[in-house]
Structures are given as C-alpha cells and as structure tokens.
C-alpha cells in the first residue's frame, strides 16, 4: 500500500477530487483500500444504493443504463474516474450499471468511512453542493444551447430516408455503388440530374448510410437563402447559422443552380478551406471559423463555379433511360401507397405497364409516383390498374396517335398471319407478275388492246398514288421486284451455300440516293421519248430491268439492299410515304425495358407470342424509326415481337416532316425531279399552252426539250427561296432543303391529277381490253368511263387541295409568320396554276 502522501498527490493529479482541501484529501487517503476486480465483472448495478467510493487506478470500465425503448448508451471510463461519491453523500441510488472491460485496480473508500469524514468536515457537503450547482448551471446552459440549436435546424431537418434506389438495371446498380462509395467519406458531393429524380433523397441515402448517421441532416433550398448568407453562416454576436448548428452532421444545399451569386465566394472558401466567416455589419475582419459539417449539393446540371472543388459527382439517370426498372418502381409505389391508405394491393396489367414504358416521363420519379397515386384513387377496390387509368402517361407526340392494332384486333391477327405478306406474295402477286410480263411481250402492243399494259398504267399508277396518304410504302411489301429477288436469293443459297455480304451502309447512304435519282431521270426520259405508256414490250423491259437490279443485289447482299437504297420506285414511294396518315413504330420504353434479343431487327426463333423470322428486311428497328421512308410495312417486326411493342398508328398526315424529319439533299433532288416529271408527262399540252412549236418529231430536239422541262420545274422553288432570303432580313428563313419538303403535297397531287384521266377512262375498259388481248371480241361487255367534266372536276379539286396542303405543310415546317413565307406560298400557287393549265385546262 502506498503512503497517504503519495495517494493524496495522485488524487490531486489524476482525479476531480482536487476541489477538496488538502486536509480532506489526506483523510480520504488514509481510508482507501486496494481492490482488484477481474475483467467482464459487474461492479455496480443501476438503481441500487452504493456501498463504497471507487477510484479507478488502472484498467478500463464501461457504464450504461438499460432501456426498454432505446438502445443502451455506453460511456467509457478511464483511470482517474471517481464513482459514487456524490451518490453516497446525497443518499441516492446509482443511475448507471458499471462493468469492467479489463482487469481493474481500485482504491476503495467504504461508505461509513466517507460519512464519518463528512461529519467531521462540514465544508465537504458545502463544496459538494457548490459543485452540483455549477454542474446544474452548466447543464442548463448546454440544454439552452441545444434548444437553440434544435430551433435553428428544426425547419430544415431531414428526419429519415424516403425510399431506396429501386431496380436491378445497370443504372440502378451503378447509382447504388456510387452512393455507397460517397457514404464512406466526409468529402463534398454534387448530385445532379433532371428535375423530379428526388436527388435530395439520394443525398439522404449518403448521410444515413454513413458512420455519421446519428448526426443531424438539414436541407435548405438555395433560392431561399438570404443574400447575406446569415442563415447559413450566422451573424457575429448573434444567432448561429446552420453550419455551426449542424456540428458534424450534413448540410444539403438543394438546387445549387439557384444560389445567389453573392454567396458563391464564401461557398468556395468553405469548400477549399473548410472554414467560413460569420456575417457582420461593419468593423474589423472576422476570424474564420472551422466547419465540421459535410456539404452535399443537388443541381440540375454541373456547376462551373464549383468546378474542381467538389470531390464526388453523381449523375442520376432519368427514368426514360432506365425503363427496365419501371415495373419494380411501379410495384414499390403501389405497395407504399396501398399500405399508407390501408387498402388492398393492386395489380398492374401488362398493357398498362407497356403504356407507362412508352412514356418518357419528363417529371421522372415524382411524376411516376403521382400517376400511380392517381390511378389507385381512380380505380375501384380489388380492381387491376389498366392502361385506361394511366391516361396522362403519353408523350405529346404520341397523344396524336391511335394504335389501330389495339382498336382492331382482327387487323393484328391478319397482319401476324401467314397470309401477310407471304401467301399473298407467292400465291398471287408473283404468278400475276410473271403472267403480266409475258403478256406484255407476246400480246398486242397498244394499251387499248393489252390488258397488262392497261393494268400497269391505268390501274397501278392511280391506285398507288391514292394509297400513299393512307398506307405509305405498303406497295413495297407486295412488290414483285423484290419477291423475285428474295426467291432467287433463297434458291441460290440452297444451291451454293455462302455468306452474303453485309451492307456498305456508309457508301449507300452517300451515293444510293443519287443512283436512284439518276435511274428515275432516265426512266422519265425513256418513257417520254419511246412512248412507254403505249408500248407493251418496252413497259415489260422496264419492269424486268428493275427486277434484274433487285435480283443482282439479292445475290450479293443480305436482305433488301436494293429496296432500301437503290430502287427508283422505292425512292419515290419513300418520299410520298412521309405524307401518310399511318405509321409503324414501337414503344421505345417497352423495347428498352423488356427486350434483350432484338428479334424484330436481327431475326430469331419463336419466343413467347413472337414468331420465327429472319428480321427486318430493311434493317430498321421499329423503336428507332422516325421516317416512313425506311419502313415497307411488311410487318416482320410485328410478327417477331414477343412483347406487343409494335404499333400501327393512325397519325396526323406528314407529322414527321415538322417533328423528327432529317432532310436529305438527294431526296430534295428527287422531289424536284418528280415535279418536273409532271410537266414532262404533259409535254404536248405544255407546248400548246405556251403556243410554240417545239418540233418534238425530231429525237434530239425532243430529248433536249425533255431535259429542259425536267430542270426548269426545279428552278422555280430555288428562285423563290432566294427571294425569300432577300426579303427576310429580321427573321432568317429555314434552309432550302428543309422548306422544299413543303412542296411534297403539290407533287403528289399533280402526279395523281395526271393519272386520274387514265384511271377514270381506260381503267373502266379492262373487260373489253382483256378480251381483245386474246383476240376475242369484247363487244357488249360493260365499260365504265367517267364524263370529261367529272374528270376535270376531280383533277381540279385534287390540285386545289394539293396547293392548300402545301401551304399548311410549309407553315408547319417553317414555324414562321405567313408574311415571311409569302414568296414560297406564291410559288406554290403559281405551280398549281401551271399544273391546272396543262392538266385541267387543256
């Protein structure tokens, strides 16, 4: 046992007993006894009267108080700790249970000895009372400070996490990893992304997933911060700011893009040095204060003014790119909402989920939650959530579409059946095409005596032109040229197995359009100079030449390379198909969320309700289609899709021309060529209208005049645009290659008006002409011929409607005042007048 002097010196140096006079310490030192307690033993039990004062000399203790409602808060005690002195003097039970964590050595003063010392020295109780008063005052001040701190934080306090990151897509997994990584440090974080992504919730995930989760987290919107920054930094000698109040917690500055510019410098100082200066009115500079808070920012974009100062940057993906998680998110919100409302959980129908997946959600997660809440509120108890309830889940462009496959289930069944187009192509179109070609060669050569020539010029041309505004490139799905190409392709691969070449897409995109433009120009000249309309074998040669092109390309390249890039008829069809009131598309959300095989594009075996196919013949994915030019409506994608994503929509005619359209210079050239072709078809009437004898009997003169007519028609729109550019000083007009598509209705209308004469006269003579083809007399067979006045009326009405729709389409494409576009409108009117003069008036 150490001497009493040594004990007294140790107590003064290592314990809180130095507040007692030396005589009391000396008396206590003479009464102490040594005691050793092994590790993991309970020294004192809470709520019991202590029997001695314990002074820890060596070892490690832990004290705690058990609770039925909260976890125990343990306090570590080190050498120098004095236990139960005040409890014995005040005759009160202990408030903590004390256990030994290691082997401990104590000096122990028994309770009777301590009470006798207190009786001998009355000042001991007075010193204890003063100490307790000081401690009470200190605790009261701490309580007042804590109440002020809580009052400062209360309006901004974030109590909990709203939700986790739902989903199993690569976007969700990556986001969870980033948030987890950021939670391991105290570094600053910027969370940025589109509105409605609940970026503040992601910040909560970082804070409450960190080791500092018990510290407070506050959120303040940057647009509500005072220009002085007093609510964030505090005032000198005044109310503390959030940085001081939050301590080692987290401050979330929400929507940093709305931060007042005046606060950017002090915020940069905080990020660079972890210090800040409270706000003061006037006077000497303020000593910067250290901040222990963690700073997290949210923003709709990266902030250049904070560039390089923020340790972590986390970009939250928008909902439209993570559609694979949409089903899980909808299920999560349904569970959450129905649990809050105490109602039965609802189920979502597959059609409703597909509608949601087809929507781009500009409001992201917040909008999705709102849609689910509204759907649950609108539905009846125990009723599934159907597509009709999610009425707002449709893009603005999609709201102008009606899916004809849903409205007419019989149409879906037919288009998915073997009849379309396989059986029609090989059972009807191909035999008829072969028969027509033979009749054109061996039958009479005049159109009035050859039914095949009548079918080609009087039936096919008017019907296909009338069909463009309704069904686009539908003719291409039953085109005999490509049927022959595909048939011979399969036959040659069976005879000589080989790998067909991939498409040279870059070269085809660059030169393919000009190839078909040149081919179409030659067809126009051939038709005019050699009178193809009334020469059967030459018309047959034209059909065979196009077929030969399709066959050659089919032997070299896979699928329908000829149809996509080189066919002149396909080029015209693709151009006019832009005006169609129908389109084939797919729900992008469903494709990205549910499909991982892309059978509609690449082909593949049967899967679900999807049939076995060879893939899209034009290598077009329906979810990426933005132009009817690249779809022949063969419905291969509809047959292959196992998710019912493909849609055949009714839409505003030509809507793609002012929404998703990409102008192409070779299409512009083809459009102007087709415009010139109308006048070329009416070359005799044009000669009579201008009152000149052009000597068309001479071949060279006829060729030169034909080339000039094809070119002069293209000059008028060009000159019109030049005038437009000269007159429009204040408002720059659209480029010519965009505005020229406004003439498309006029070109289609003019071409149709030309062929209406054949369709309304010679088409009705098909029965007697058929008899004449085989050398029989067709006398007495019915003939249907429209009156010339009716023909002129329909031709004139077609041209009037064409001019009107040309004006409307031009306005939609340009989105400029009508006064600015007046030169082009007058040009359309002038072209319409010229067409009227040579078609209707002659």
């Amino acid at each position: 046992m150490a001497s009493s002097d040594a004990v007294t010196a140790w107590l003064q140096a290592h314990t809180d007993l130095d507040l007692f006079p030396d005589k009391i310490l000396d008396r206590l030192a003479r009464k102490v006894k040594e005691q050793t307690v092994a590790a993991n033993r309970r020294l004192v039990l809470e709520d019991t009267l202590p029997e001695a004062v314990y002074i820890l000399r060596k070892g490690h203790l832990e004290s705690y108080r058990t609770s039925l409602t909260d976890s125990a808060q343990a306090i570590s005690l080190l050498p120098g700790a004095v236990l139960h002195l005040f409890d014995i003097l005040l005759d009160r039970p202990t408030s903590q249970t004390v256990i030994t964590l290691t082997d401990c050595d104590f000096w122990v003063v028994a309770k009777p000895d301590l009470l006798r010392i207190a009786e001998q020295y009355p000042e001991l109780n007075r010193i204890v009372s003063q100490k307790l008063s000081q401690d009470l005052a200190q605790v009261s001040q701490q309580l007042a400070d804590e109440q002020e701190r809580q009052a400062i934080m209360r309006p901004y306090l974030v109590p909990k996490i709203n939700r986790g990151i739902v989903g199993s897509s690569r976007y969700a997994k990556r986001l969870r990893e980033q948030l987890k990584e950021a939670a391991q440090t105290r570094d600053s974080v910027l969370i940025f992304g589109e509105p409605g992504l609940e970026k503040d919730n992601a910040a909560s995930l970082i804070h409450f997933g960190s080791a500092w989760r018990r510290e407070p987290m506050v959120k303040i919107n940057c647009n509500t911060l005072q220009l002085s920054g007093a609510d964030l930094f505090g005032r000198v000698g005044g109310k503390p700011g959030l940085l001081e109040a939050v301590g080692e917690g987290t401050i979330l500055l929400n929507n940093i893009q709305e931060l007042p510019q005046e606060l950017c410098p002090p915020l940069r100082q905080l990020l660079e040095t972890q210090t800040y200066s409270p706000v003061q009115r006037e006077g000497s500079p303020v000593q910067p204060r250290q901040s222990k808070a963690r700073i997290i920012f949210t923003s709709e974009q990266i902030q250049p003014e904070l560039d390089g100062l923020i340790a972590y940057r986390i970009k939250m993906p928008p909902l439209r790119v993570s559609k694979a998680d949409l089903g899980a998110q909808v299920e999560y919100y349904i569970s959450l909402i129905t649990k809050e409302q105490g109602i039965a959980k609802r189920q979502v129908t597959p059609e409703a989920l597909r509608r949601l997946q087809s929507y781009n959600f500009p409001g992201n997660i917040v909008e999705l939650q709102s849609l689910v809440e509204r759907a649950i509120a609108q539905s009846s108890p125990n009723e599934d959530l159907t597509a009709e309830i999610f009425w707002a889940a449709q893009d603005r462009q999609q709201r102008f579409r009606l899916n004809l496959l849903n409205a007419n289930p019989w149409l879906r069944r037919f288009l998915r059946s073997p009849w379309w187009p396989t059986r029609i192509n090989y059972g009807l179109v191909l035999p008829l095409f072969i028969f027509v070609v033979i009749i054109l060669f061996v039958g009479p050569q005049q159109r009035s005596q050859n039914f095949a020539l009548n079918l080609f010029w009087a039936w096919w041309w008017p019907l296909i032109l009338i069909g463009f505004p309704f069904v686009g490139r539908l003719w291409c799905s039953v085109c005999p040229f490509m049927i022959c190409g595909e048939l011979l392709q399969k036959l040659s691969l069976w005879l000589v197995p080989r790998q067909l070449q991939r498409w040279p897409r870059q070269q085809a995109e660059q030169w393919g359009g000009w190839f078909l433009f040149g081919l179409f120009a030659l067809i126009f000249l051939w038709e005019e100079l050699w009178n193809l309309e009334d020469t059967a074998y030459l018309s047959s040669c034209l059909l065979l030449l196009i077929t030969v092109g399709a066959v050659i390309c089919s032997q070299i390249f896979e699928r329908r390379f000829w149809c996509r890039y080189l066919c002149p008829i396909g080029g015209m069809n693709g151009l006019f198909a832009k005006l169609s009131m129908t389109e084939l598309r797919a729900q992008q959300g469903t494709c990205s969320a549910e499909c991982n095989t892309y059978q509609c594009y690449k082909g593949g075996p049967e899967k679900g309700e999807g049939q076995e196919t060879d893939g899209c013949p034009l290598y077009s994915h329906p979810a990426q289609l933005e132009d009817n030019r690249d779809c022949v409506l063969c419905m291969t994608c509809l047959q292959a899709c196992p998710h019912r994503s493909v849609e055949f929509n009714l839409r505003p005619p030509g809507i793609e021309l002012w929404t998703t359209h990409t102008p192409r210079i070779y299409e512009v050239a083809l459009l102007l060529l087709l415009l010139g072709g109308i006048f070329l078809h009416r070359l005799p009437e044009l000669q009579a209208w201008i009152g000149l004898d052009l000597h068309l009997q001479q071949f060279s003169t006829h060729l030169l005049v034909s080339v000039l007519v094809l070119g002069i028609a293209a000059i008028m729109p060009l000159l019109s645009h030049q005038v437009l550019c000269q007159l429009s000083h204040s408002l720059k007009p659209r480029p010519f290659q965009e505005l020229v598509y406004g003439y498309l209705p006029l070109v289609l209308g003019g071409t149709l008006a030309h062929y209406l004469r054949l369709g309304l006269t010679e088409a009705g003579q098909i029965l007697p002409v058929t008899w004449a083809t085989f050398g029989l007399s067709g006398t007495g067979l019915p003939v249907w011929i429209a009156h010339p006045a009716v023909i002129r009326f329909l031709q004139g009405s077609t041209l009037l409607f064409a001019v009107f729709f040309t004006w409307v389409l031009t306005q939609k494409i340009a989105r400029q005042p009508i006064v600015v576009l007046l030169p082009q409108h007058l040009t359309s009117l002038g072209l319409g007048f010229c067409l009227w003069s040579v078609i209707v008036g002659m």
Side-chain angles (χ1 to χ4, degrees), residues 42-51 65 84 87-88 91-98 111:
R42 187 174 67 194
L43 186 65
V44 179
L45 179 64
E46 62 190 71
D47 296 327
T48 61
L49 292 173
E51 297 298 328
R65 182 171 181 83
H84 312 314
D87 294 334
I88 293 175
D91 194 23
R92 67 185 185 186
T94 61
S95 60
Q96 301 280 324
T97 295
V98 181
K111 180 177 180 179

Side-chain angles (χ1 to χ4, degrees), residues 303-366:
Q303 297 301 307
E305 60 269 18
L306 302 179
D307 191 32
L309 302 177
I310 300 177
Y312 284 90
R313 293 182 180 179
I314 299 175
K315 181 178 181 180
M316 296 194 67
L319 187 54
R320 66 176 177 274
V321 304
S322 57
K323 294 291 182 65
D325 297 327
L326 192 61
Q329 289 168 335
V330 171
E331 288 293 329
Y332 170 78
Y333 284 124
I334 290 176
S335 301
L336 190 66
I337 295 168
T338 52
K339 185 177 180 180
E340 289 178 352
Q341 298 178 2
I343 59 178
K345 186 178 178 181
R346 311 295 173 80
Q347 298 296 324
V348 182
T349 64
E351 292 77 13
L353 186 59
R354 281 195 290 269
R355 167 168 283 193
L356 291 173
Q357 289 170 338
S358 68
Y359 183 50
N360 280 332
F361 286 99
N364 289 297
I365 297 295
V366 174

Side-chain angles (χ1 to χ4, degrees), residues 350-475:
E351 292 77 13
L353 186 59
R354 281 195 290 269
R355 167 168 283 193
L356 291 173
Q357 289 170 338
S358 68
Y359 183 50
N360 280 332
F361 286 99
N364 289 297
I365 297 295
V366 174
E367 185 177 6
L368 174 61
Q369 183 176 2
S370 175
L371 284 175
V372 174
E373 288 178 353
R374 184 164 55 201
I376 293 175
Q378 291 178 349
S379 63
S380 302
N382 301 320
E383 179 186 359
D384 289 345
L385 303 182
T386 60
E388 293 75 16
I389 298 177
F390 293 98
W391 51 269
Q394 199 172 19
D395 287 328
R396 291 184 62 186
Q397 291 184 7
Q398 283 298 115
R399 290 176 188 173
F400 297 105
R401 266 76 168 179
L402 172 65
N403 187 358
L404 297 175
L405 300 180
N406 290 341
N408 303 280
W410 63 267
L411 180 60
R412 177 188 294 274
R413 290 193 298 269
F414 170 71
L415 294 177
R416 286 175 51 84
S417 72
W419 283 98
W420 184 262
T422 306
R423 290 181 180 175
I424 294 177
N425 282 345
Y426 293 102
L428 177 63
V429 176
L430 184 59
L432 180 61
F433 177 70
I434 295 174
F435 181 62
V436 165
V437 170
I438 294 174
I439 292 299
L440 289 174
F441 266 110
V442 302
Q445 294 299 296
Q446 288 75 34
R447 192 168 63 242
S448 61
Q449 296 178 346
N450 192 314
F451 84 93
L453 204 56
N454 182 285
L455 284 176
F456 182 38
W457 295 103
W459 281 89
W460 183 83
W461 269 105
L463 289 178
I464 193 177
L465 292 169
I466 293 173
F468 285 133
F470 299 98
V471 290
R473 288 188 71 173
L474 184 68
W475 160 255

Side-chain angles (χ1 to χ4, degrees), residues 584-653:
L584 187 135
R585 299 291 188 268
Q587 300 173 6
Q588 293 181 348
T590 301
C591 294
S592 61
E594 299 185 20
C595 183
N596 55 13
T597 59
Y598 305 105
Q599 289 177 247
C600 62
Y601 178 75
K602 299 188 297 184
E606 180 179 351
K607 180 181 178 183
E609 69 173 43
Q611 304 171 13
E612 180 180 359
T613 68
D614 295 327
C616 177
L618 294 192
Y619 268 129
S620 296
H621 194 292
Q624 299 173 347
L625 276 174
E626 294 183 344
D627 195 329
N628 278 0
R629 177 189 78 125
D630 298 327
C631 179
V632 297
L633 298 179
C634 65
M635 299 299 169
T636 301
C637 53
L638 175 65
Q639 297 164 0
C641 180
H643 308 294
R644 292 209 170 192
S645 173
V646 179
E647 300 176 334
F648 184 51
N649 294 324
L650 189 66
R651 66 172 193 174

Side-chain angles (χ1 to χ4, degrees), residues 149-387:
R149 174 171 174 258
Q150 293 295 332
I152 294 172
M153 294 190 300
R154 190 174 297 114
Y156 312 103
L157 203 61
V158 178
K160 63 179 181 179
I161 302 171
N162 291 331
R163 65 173 184 88
I165 303 299
V166 180
S168 57
S169 69
R170 60 188 178 93
Y171 298 101
K173 292 178 181 177
R174 182 185 178 192
L175 182 58
R176 281 193 289 265
E177 292 173 358
Q178 290 177 314
L179 296 177
K180 184 178 180 180
E181 181 182 354
Q184 305 304 312
T185 71
R186 296 280 294 170
D187 295 331
S188 57
V189 182
L190 171 64
I191 304 173
F192 63 98
E194 296 179 2
L197 288 172
E198 294 187 339
K199 297 181 284 293
D200 52 348
N201 181 74
S204 301
L205 289 171
I206 293 176
H207 172 77
F208 289 104
S210 70
W212 298 269
R213 66 179 64 88
R214 296 189 182 279
E215 299 295 332
M217 177 181 181
V218 296
K219 180 182 77 171
I220 183 169
N221 295 322
C222 290
N223 60 355
T224 65
L225 285 171
Q226 301 176 19
L227 294 180
S228 63
D231 42 6
L232 185 60
F233 304 111
R235 293 187 181 275
V236 176
K239 183 179 178 180
L242 283 173
L243 279 171
E244 181 178 345
V246 81
E248 293 186 353
T250 299
I251 293 182
L252 170 60
L253 294 177
N254 200 34
N255 294 323
I256 192 65
Q257 73 275 2
E258 299 176 355
L259 182 77
Q261 290 298 317
E262 294 82 354
L263 297 182
C264 287
L267 192 58
R268 290 182 64 89
Q269 175 190 339
L270 177 65
L271 292 173
E272 289 175 345
T273 64
Q274 287 74 52
T275 63
Y276 67 95
S277 300
V279 178
Q280 65 169 353
R281 296 183 183 276
E282 294 178 358
S284 59
V286 180
Q287 184 68 25
R289 300 181 184 178
Q290 192 74 25
S291 172
K292 298 180 181 180
R294 180 181 196 170
I295 311 297
I296 300 180
F297 305 95
T298 66
S299 175
E300 294 180 6
Q301 56 191 1
I302 295 178
Q303 297 301 307
E305 60 269 18
L306 302 179
D307 191 32
L309 302 177
I310 300 177
Y312 284 90
R313 293 182 180 179
I314 299 175
K315 181 178 181 180
M316 296 194 67
L319 187 54
R320 66 176 177 274
V321 304
S322 57
K323 294 291 182 65
D325 297 327
L326 192 61
Q329 289 168 335
V330 171
E331 288 293 329
Y332 170 78
Y333 284 124
I334 290 176
S335 301
L336 190 66
I337 295 168
T338 52
K339 185 177 180 180
E340 289 178 352
Q341 298 178 2
I343 59 178
K345 186 178 178 181
R346 311 295 173 80
Q347 298 296 324
V348 182
T349 64
E351 292 77 13
L353 186 59
R354 281 195 290 269
R355 167 168 283 193
L356 291 173
Q357 289 170 338
S358 68
Y359 183 50
N360 280 332
F361 286 99
N364 289 297
I365 297 295
V366 174
E367 185 177 6
L368 174 61
Q369 183 176 2
S370 175
L371 284 175
V372 174
E373 288 178 353
R374 184 164 55 201
I376 293 175
Q378 291 178 349
S379 63
S380 302
N382 301 320
E383 179 186 359
D384 289 345
L385 303 182
T386 60

Side-chain angles (χ1 to χ4, degrees), residues 479-529:
C479 171
F481 310 137
M482 204 59 234
I483 297 173
C484 295
E486 286 184 337
L487 182 62
L488 292 177
Q489 183 186 69
K490 294 176 182 179
L491 179 61
S492 68
L493 289 176
W494 178 68
L495 294 174
V496 185
R498 64 191 187 280
Q499 184 67 39
L500 296 176
Q501 295 185 24
R502 303 283 293 179
W503 290 4
R505 286 183 176 271
Q506 185 176 356
Q507 294 86 346
E509 289 286 350
Q510 184 176 4
W511 301 109
W514 293 110
F515 175 85
L516 67 86
F517 166 80
L519 204 55
F520 216 111
L522 291 176
I523 291 174
F524 270 144
L525 295 175
W526 189 15
E527 178 184 344
E528 173 64 26
L529 296 174

